[in-house]
Amino acid sequence: MRRIGLVWGVLLAGCGASPAPQFFGAERHEVTLDGYRFVVFHKEDMAEVVRLGYLTPRQRDPVPALMVVAAERATGCRVLGPLRGLARSPSLPGDTGEARFELKC
């Protein structure tokens, strides 16, 4: 039984992040910026960025700006604005674990 738990743990750790339903079939990219790890899902003129790993509230401050950079680097497009945003930024309200952006490609 212990082996089964270990196998599931390894399999789940390898997944990293899953896209929201509207991003099923999207291109998946991994980006690391300043030690922060992100997965970017790119579909048409939209991107979803998921931050990987745990951060304390103090460590989250640079995340909104880094998510924009991650989306632009992974897609080669310019971020126009948030579809759904992030915490700690007046233009990107919400969670620093996930954001969705409109892109100009």
Side-chain angles (χ1 to χ4, degrees):
M1 192 65 159
R2 193 170 164 178
R3 276 191 178 163
I4 292 172
L6 179 62
V7 169
W8 273 110
V10 170
L11 289 174
L12 290 174
C15 294
S18 297
Q22 60 266 47
F23 287 90
F24 286 172
E27 291 180 55
R28 184 182 194 279
H29 307 273
E30 293 192 24
V31 178
T32 301
L33 299 167
D34 296 339
Y36 295 86
R37 293 177 47 225
F38 302 96
V39 174
V40 179
F41 297 100
H42 178 208
K43 188 171 185 179
E44 300 168 5
D45 63 345
M46 300 179 300
E48 178 179 49
V49 182
V50 179
R51 177 186 43 79
L52 302 177
Y54 173 79
L55 297 177
T56 66
R58 291 186 96 162
Q59 293 172 312
R60 295 177 191 161
D61 289 341
V63 171
L66 290 173
M67 286 181 140
V68 170
V69 174
E72 291 179 338
R73 284 197 187 169
T75 65
C77 304
R78 187 171 54 100
V79 168
L80 294 178
L83 291 174
R84 181 167 161 242
L86 305 166
R88 301 178 131 2
S89 169
S91 63
L92 301 171
D95 178 17
T96 63
E98 180 269 339
R100 297 178 194 158
F101 299 104
E102 182 180 2
L103 303 173
K104 168 96 175 173
C105 296

